[in-house]
Amino acid sequence: GENVEQHPSTLSVQEGDSAVIKCTYSDSASNYFPWYKQELGKGPQLIIDIRSNVGEKKDQRIAVTLNKTAKHFSLHITETQPEDSAVYFCAATGYSTLTFGKGTMLLVSP
Amino acid sequence: SQTIHQWPATLVQPVGSPLSLECTVEGTSNPNLYWYRQAAGRGLQLLFYSVGIGQISSEVPQNLSASRPQDRQFILSSKKLLLSDSGFYLCAWSVGGRGTEAFFGQGTRLTVV
């Protein structure tokens, strides 16, 4: 089955800096890669996704890149703000279920 | 629009007691439904998923079971809770087929004492 590795497990940045979270996957047949943000005590919320026919996607301060050859994809957050502090999960599809990475705790200091 | 309801939000149960967590989805038909558990670490562990009424797939053998009595209702149960069942339980849904996003409920914080 699919295996998703996510790094780093914790990331601390100063407000205004950029943050990058990286994931690799194992199943070359996977074609959908969402990113979720989970705030404390809440369920994960989809923030951006990318499909395998696209190399990059951007939504305001958030961007995701995908390298299908290398089987890795990354989340980029620019001009970070304290409200970006949360746990971020990457995921990749299997045939019926999403496989998630173990999460990255992002801490943005004012 | 689609919404997902999960309850209760928090639950404290003694060891050996039964458990029933309920999840319902509105605004869509024949969704895929999922139960995840998030323990003290941050990872999301898939427990069960269902592609239709009465169709349940178990990812991890354990003290829990799931049922789908109606198209948009998914129930997580246990006959006798263990301390190790404590955690944050999340229900999620997606449309059928490959390559679609999952939408999560707000979760249930279960503490077994």
Side-chain angles (χ1 to χ4, degrees), chain A residues 39-83:
Chain A
E39 297 177 342
L40 190 63
K42 297 185 179 181
Q45 297 292 311
L46 179 71
I47 57 172
I48 195 168
D49 55 15
I50 192 166
R51 298 188 183 275
S52 60
N53 58 345
V54 176
E56 183 174 359
K57 183 177 179 180
K58 190 173 182 179
D59 182 4
Q60 299 183 333
R61 297 186 296 108
I62 295 174
V64 58
T65 58
L66 171 65
N67 183 327
K68 281 218 73 181
T69 302
K71 289 191 281 189
H72 65 70
F73 56 113
S74 301
L75 178 71
H76 305 253
I77 305 175
T78 59
E79 301 173 25
T80 54
Q81 302 168 2
E83 52 264 37

Side-chain angles (χ1 to χ4, degrees), chain A residues 15 29 36 38 41 60 74 77 81 95-97 103 108:
Chain A
E15 183 176 0
Y36 289 83
Q38 186 179 25
Q60 299 183 333
S74 301
I77 305 175
Q81 302 168 2
Y95 277 94
S96 299
T97 64
V108 182

